[in-house]
Amino acid sequence: MKKVLVVYYSQTGQLRDIVNATVAPIQQSPDISVDIVELKPAKPFPFPWPFVRFFNTMPDTVYEDPMPIEPPAIDPDAHYDLVILAYQVWFLSPSMPTMAFLQSELAKKVLAGKPVITLIGCRNMWTVAQERVKEILTSFGARLIDNVVLTDSAHSAFTFASTPIWMVFGKKGPLLNGLIPRAGISEEDIAGSARFGRAIAAQLPNRPADATNPMLSGLGAVSIHEGLIESEKTVKRSFRLWGGFLRSLGKPSSPLRQLFVYFYFLFLLTMILTVVPLLAVVKMILKPFVRGAISDQRAYYAAPSGESRQLLDGAA
């Protein structure tokens, strides 16, 4: 019998729903046993977030200095044939609980040499965070065989408002008579993630232990928004600069650091309203001249599962 370990942290409950929908078909297989472990911060993060604390979390998230988590209920000596790592993206980085787990000796031991599927639920920007997770998995000797990404389907101009409102006020919407759409990943997309579980359940029992090929190709596992890639890199650099400055002002509880969080918010708002759209426009203008590079870029970030949806009708 094959054994699967699923590790995740969900603050709002959305990623938990994605995990449950994905894993349900695997749990129904008589040839696969599944252990699901939810990461729990030693001091739970609030939801909704207080305004200052939400943005004050950025520096330590970006600098990978997470708050501790409770010891996960994982047997370090257990053997797993597949690990599914589900995570949220916070400030273009893996969430604090996810990073706390990845920094642990337990993760290094459990993931060493194992095939891993990453499962991401986020607003729309995830490539920079996934690059970091890939680096860590590679350092463990783990093999990333698939990546699944579910994002908010609304235009980024709308999610720029809807997501912070959801995080700070706990209101998903829609708001203002539908002017601001409902925040988060659609229920239809969450339910549709069961197709990935069905594909895993069908292939894993007879899959060789050393296989490196994806199991989820052709199922629309990811969708690349090429105009956001350079924007992510620019925003991440600003996070590093501001994060370093805010950390120099003291711990998150420092009154001076909390004061400058407001200035950071104003800077972030200005950048997202100006620089990010400008970069997207420049990318669009240059697109005809760099089609080959863009194609290579799309293929790189879509790997290993790819953007193809050729099997989607039959799987869903």
Side-chain angles (χ1 to χ4, degrees), residues 100-249:
F101 171 68
L102 291 175
Q103 290 176 350
S104 68
E105 289 299 318
L106 174 62
K108 185 182 298 184
K109 186 170 184 179
V110 170
L111 295 173
K114 299 296 188 295
V116 177
I117 294 176
T118 46
L119 176 59
I120 304 171
C122 65
R123 174 182 167 238
N124 59 11
M125 292 183 170
W126 56 269
T127 59
V128 171
Q130 179 67 356
E131 285 300 292
R132 180 60 182 134
V133 170
K134 286 162 61 175
E135 289 177 359
I136 296 172
L137 293 177
T138 299
S139 72
F140 292 164
R143 308 189 308 276
L144 179 66
I145 60 170
D146 280 291
N147 179 37
V148 176
V149 184
L150 276 69
T151 62
D152 193 319
S153 58
H155 192 280
S156 58
F158 294 110
T159 61
F160 172 66
S162 61
T163 301
I165 290 173
W166 179 27
M167 293 297 102
V168 176
F169 299 102
K171 298 183 182 297
K172 268 195 166 187
L175 303 170
L176 301 179
N177 293 322
L179 180 62
I180 298 178
R182 185 178 185 274
I185 298 163
S186 71
E187 294 181 3
E188 179 181 3
D189 286 347
I190 291 175
S193 62
R195 68 185 183 272
F196 305 115
R198 288 193 289 269
I200 294 169
Q203 298 176 57
L204 185 60
N206 299 312
R207 184 177 171 87
D210 59 350
T212 58
N213 60 299
M215 289 192 283
L216 307 180
S217 297
L219 297 179
V222 301
S223 180
I224 303 298
H225 298 280
E226 59 204 34
L228 294 177
I229 294 174
E230 293 305 318
S231 298
E232 280 199 52
K233 295 177 182 178
T234 299
V235 174
K236 184 59 181 277
R237 284 193 291 268
S238 78
F239 284 163
R240 292 285 300 180
L241 289 172
W242 270 95
F245 170 67
L246 291 171
R247 281 167 61 90
S248 73
L249 300 179

Side-chain angles (χ1 to χ4, degrees), residues 16-138:
R16 182 184 300 112
D17 292 340
I18 294 171
V19 167
N20 289 339
T22 302
V23 173
I26 307 174
Q27 292 175 308
Q28 295 170 4
S29 171
D31 301 314
I32 304 174
S33 66
V34 181
D35 292 338
I36 303 177
V37 177
E38 180 177 7
L39 302 176
K40 297 180 179 180
K43 182 179 180 181
F45 290 98
F47 184 75
W49 288 85
F51 178 86
V52 172
R53 184 169 180 186
F54 176 72
F55 290 99
N56 203 7
T57 304
M58 180 276 291
D60 303 309
T61 299
V62 171
Y63 275 83
E64 299 179 1
D65 186 15
M67 296 176 64
I69 57 174
E70 296 180 2
I74 302 173
D75 181 356
D77 298 317
H79 169 76
Y80 290 100
D81 301 284
L82 175 67
V83 178
I84 299 176
L85 176 67
Y87 72 93
Q88 302 167 307
V89 177
W90 291 7
F91 300 101
L92 304 186
S93 301
S95 70
M96 272 199 178
T98 300
M99 187 54 69
F101 171 68
L102 291 175
Q103 290 176 350
S104 68
E105 289 299 318
L106 174 62
K108 185 182 298 184
K109 186 170 184 179
V110 170
L111 295 173
K114 299 296 188 295
V116 177
I117 294 176
T118 46
L119 176 59
I120 304 171
C122 65
R123 174 182 167 238
N124 59 11
M125 292 183 170
W126 56 269
T127 59
V128 171
Q130 179 67 356
E131 285 300 292
R132 180 60 182 134
V133 170
K134 286 162 61 175
E135 289 177 359
I136 296 172
L137 293 177
T138 299

Side-chain angles (χ1 to χ4, degrees), residues 237-280:
R237 284 193 291 268
S238 78
F239 284 163
R240 292 285 300 180
L241 289 172
W242 270 95
F245 170 67
L246 291 171
R247 281 167 61 90
S248 73
L249 300 179
K251 298 292 185 181
S253 58
S254 164
L256 184 60
R257 173 166 159 173
Q258 293 185 25
L259 173 63
F260 271 87
V261 163
Y262 289 100
F263 291 99
Y264 159 68
F265 169 74
L266 293 174
F267 167 82
L268 180 63
L269 179 64
T270 301
M271 186 171 68
I272 291 179
L273 291 177
T274 57
V275 176
V276 171
L278 179 61
L279 286 174

